[in-house]
């Protein structure tokens, strides 16, 4: 049993019916900051946050009466206590162990501090991207390699008279003037062949009311870790005022 426990990827504790620790592997000693001698024979309370000890006693008694393999506290936030008093988040899996010496509970404990920190950082990064994308002062679109929109921001909606949700139900070409739908295809082909990192074109879009909107479009392709095309990113800026000024100058 010791050999198996030492080879396990997680902390392994063996607890008797009196909630006493009878075995802890090396990983457990390192995680909790105790030696084996300091843990073996101690009540499990030494590793449980003080505020949760009474509840933990009741839960352990219930488990002893109906032992089975299960994940402890599913859907809840569990914490364990280090020797120095600090608390850290854990996942705990319980299993009944029957031996000639009696019935025990094996607890596999995993410190999930790093995972939770990574998940929190990912959520913060996603929220930062969402805010940056949605509140950008110019139109932005994410489209798949087949040019189907799957995300559009508010600025583009204001520019073309659609809500962001309406734009996402349209294909990228659906909002493009029919005569300009092929304007950017040569540039997209060059991007796909990795000849250029991005491309810039001027083209016409159709407002929801049918009027024409001139825009400057900067397009780039986001690739996966193996170089496969993932999606297109387009920055779209209304240049209608500039085009009208140029037309007026050309007429004078």
């Amino acid at each position: 049993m010791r050999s198996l426990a030492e080879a396990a990827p997680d902390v392994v504790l063996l607890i008797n019916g009196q909630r006493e620790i009878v075995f802890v592997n090396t990983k457990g000693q390192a995680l909790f900051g105790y030696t084996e001698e300091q843990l073996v024979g101690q009540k499990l309370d030494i590793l449980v946050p003080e505020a949760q000890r009474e509840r933990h006693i009741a839960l352990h008694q219930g488990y002893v009466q109906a032992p089975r393999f299960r994940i402890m506290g599913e859907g809840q936030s569990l914490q364990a206590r280090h020797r120095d008093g600090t608390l850290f988040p854990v996942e705990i899996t319980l299993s009944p162990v029957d031996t000639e010496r009696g019935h025990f509970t094996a607890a596999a404990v995993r410190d999930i501090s790093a995972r939770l920190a990574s998940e929190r950082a990912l959520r913060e990064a996603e929220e930062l991207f969402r805010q940056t994308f949605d509140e950008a002062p110019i139109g932005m679109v994410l489209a798949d390699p087949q040019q189907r929109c799957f995300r559009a921001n508010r600025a583009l909606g204001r520019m073309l008279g659609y809500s962001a949700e309406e734009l996402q139900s349209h294909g990228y070409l659906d909002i493009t003037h029919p005569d300009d739908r092929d304007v950017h295809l040569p540039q997209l082909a060059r991007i796909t062949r990795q000849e250029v990192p991005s491309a810039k074109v001027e083209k016409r879009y159709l407002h929801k009311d049918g009027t024409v909107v001139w825009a400057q479009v900067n397009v780039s392709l986001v690739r996966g870790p193996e170089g496969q095309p993932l999606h297109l990113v387009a920055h779209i800026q209304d240049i209608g005022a500039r085009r009208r000024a140029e037309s007026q100058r050309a007429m004078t």
Side-chain angles (χ1 to χ4, degrees):
M1 176 181 173
R2 179 178 291 273
S3 297
L4 290 172
E6 291 296 348
D10 298 319
V11 170
V12 176
L13 296 166
L14 196 63
I15 304 143
N16 64 20
Q18 291 73 48
R19 301 182 66 253
E20 294 172 340
I21 300 170
V22 298
F23 172 81
V24 57
N25 65 353
T26 304
K27 292 183 179 68
Q29 299 166 44
L31 180 63
F32 293 110
Y34 293 95
T35 65
E36 185 176 18
E37 292 74 19
Q38 290 170 327
L39 283 176
V40 172
Q42 294 291 325
K43 292 287 188 181
L44 191 58
D45 293 345
I46 195 173
L47 306 179
V48 178
E50 293 182 11
Q52 299 175 14
R53 287 176 184 172
E54 289 188 12
R55 180 171 179 269
H56 192 272
I57 291 173
L59 290 173
H60 183 263
Q61 291 173 342
Y63 182 81
V64 170
Q65 293 172 4
R68 60 185 176 86
F69 175 85
R70 72 178 183 87
I71 298 173
M72 182 177 173
E74 284 189 280
Q76 302 178 32
S77 298
L78 301 180
Q79 290 185 314
R81 184 180 185 276
H82 190 272
R83 182 182 181 182
D84 64 10
T86 58
L87 306 180
F88 55 93
V90 291
E91 286 181 344
I92 303 175
T93 303
L94 304 177
S95 302
V97 178
D98 298 322
T99 73
E100 294 178 355
R101 295 176 54 188
H103 304 291
F104 301 89
T105 300
V109 183
R110 176 174 297 180
D111 181 357
I112 58 172
S113 302
R115 192 188 78 192
L116 293 182
S118 177
E119 291 174 352
R120 183 169 56 253
L122 179 60
R123 288 195 300 271
E124 292 172 353
E126 290 175 342
E127 178 61 17
L128 178 61
F129 167 79
R130 186 193 66 78
Q131 292 181 2
T132 302
F133 184 90
D134 289 343
E135 304 303 329
I138 64 173
M140 291 183 66
V141 166
L142 299 180
D144 63 23
Q146 289 72 45
Q147 302 181 57
R148 292 188 294 262
C149 301
F150 62 86
R151 186 160 188 166
N153 71 348
R154 296 188 182 97
L156 184 62
R158 291 191 296 269
M159 186 189 306
L160 299 179
Y162 293 94
S163 68
E165 291 73 21
E166 287 176 318
L167 286 172
Q168 287 165 203
S169 67
H170 288 67
Y172 188 62
L173 296 181
D174 294 339
I175 56 176
T176 301
H177 191 284
D179 294 339
D180 288 353
R181 290 178 178 174
D182 295 334
V183 166
H184 62 297
L185 293 183
Q187 289 83 352
L188 288 179
R190 295 187 65 198
I191 294 173
T192 303
R193 294 194 299 266
Q194 300 188 50
E195 296 175 3
V196 293
S198 61
K200 180 170 64 175
V201 297
E202 292 186 2
K203 57 185 290 188
R204 291 167 291 179
Y205 287 91
L206 292 175
H207 193 278
K208 189 176 183 178
D209 63 11
T211 58
V212 172
V213 178
W214 273 99
Q216 178 177 284
V217 186
N218 289 274
V219 183
S220 58
L221 181 66
V222 177
R223 297 180 180 276
E226 298 180 0
Q228 72 276 22
L230 293 182
H231 57 263
L232 299 165
V233 181
H235 296 78
I236 304 167
Q237 188 168 5
D238 187 341
I239 58 170
R242 194 199 78 194
R243 297 282 302 199
R244 288 191 292 273
E246 291 173 350
S247 297
Q248 291 175 357
R249 285 196 298 270
M251 294 173 61
T252 59

